[in-house]
Amino acid sequence: LQSLWQGVYLFDTSLVGKQLYRAALLCIASDIPAARKTAGFYGHMATKGCSKCLKSFPRNSDNRVDYSGFEEEDPLRTHEEHCSYAAKAQEAQNKAERERIEKQYGARYSSLHDL
């Protein structure tokens, strides 16, 4: 997609010959779980499962997520922070470190962060 944003010269069936073609991703249509995964968020069962804020969801004794206790004081996520957390995860030295960072921030790398 980055190459297509800059433009790619392609031959077509017209008499002009090579022409510059550009493309951009404008919209992704999907259900909520797919949209969250595409954007680099953890799923709703994660400790930091909210895509709007950084609230931690504890687990109860039978390992179910406790979604109670939303407060207005919970810090909101920003696009810049989310991309920063995803970059930290991508730059991890090994799988265990990457998974620790992803779990800590509720964010993972997505190639859409590069666009």
Side-chain angles (χ1 to χ4, degrees), residues 89 91-100:
E91 294 165 0
Q93 299 299 316
N94 54 51
K95 182 179 178 182
E97 181 185 1
R98 179 180 48 82
E99 288 174 351
R100 181 190 59 76

Side-chain angles (χ1 to χ4, degrees), residues 13-24:
T13 58
S14 71
L15 299 176
V16 178
K18 274 183 154 179
Q19 291 192 38
L20 180 65
Y21 288 89
R22 293 184 180 180

Side-chain angles (χ1 to χ4, degrees), residues 28-114:
I28 297 174
S30 65
D31 61 2
I32 291 174
R36 292 173 55 83
K37 187 169 186 170
T38 302
F41 292 103
Y42 256 40
H44 69 281
M45 294 292 289
T47 303
K48 299 233 182 200
C50 183
S51 59
K52 301 289 182 187
C53 70
L54 291 170
K55 175 172 177 40
S56 293
F57 298 105
R59 302 224 174 224
N60 60 21
S61 59
D62 56 348
N63 203 28
R64 291 187 178 180
V65 179
D66 178 9
Y67 295 109
S68 66
F70 271 98
E71 304 295 333
E72 290 185 21
E73 298 89 40
D74 291 325
L76 296 178
R77 289 182 186 260
T78 66
H79 176 71
E80 293 76 21
E81 287 174 337
H82 180 68
C83 289
S84 170
Y85 300 149
K88 282 183 186 181
Q90 184 189 25
E91 294 165 0
Q93 299 299 316
N94 54 51
K95 182 179 178 182
E97 181 185 1
R98 179 180 48 82
E99 288 174 351
R100 181 190 59 76
I101 293 169
E102 289 175 347
K103 186 175 181 181
Q104 179 181 357
Y105 298 112
R108 60 171 52 115
Y109 173 75
S110 168
S111 58
L112 294 181
H113 290 132
D114 296 334

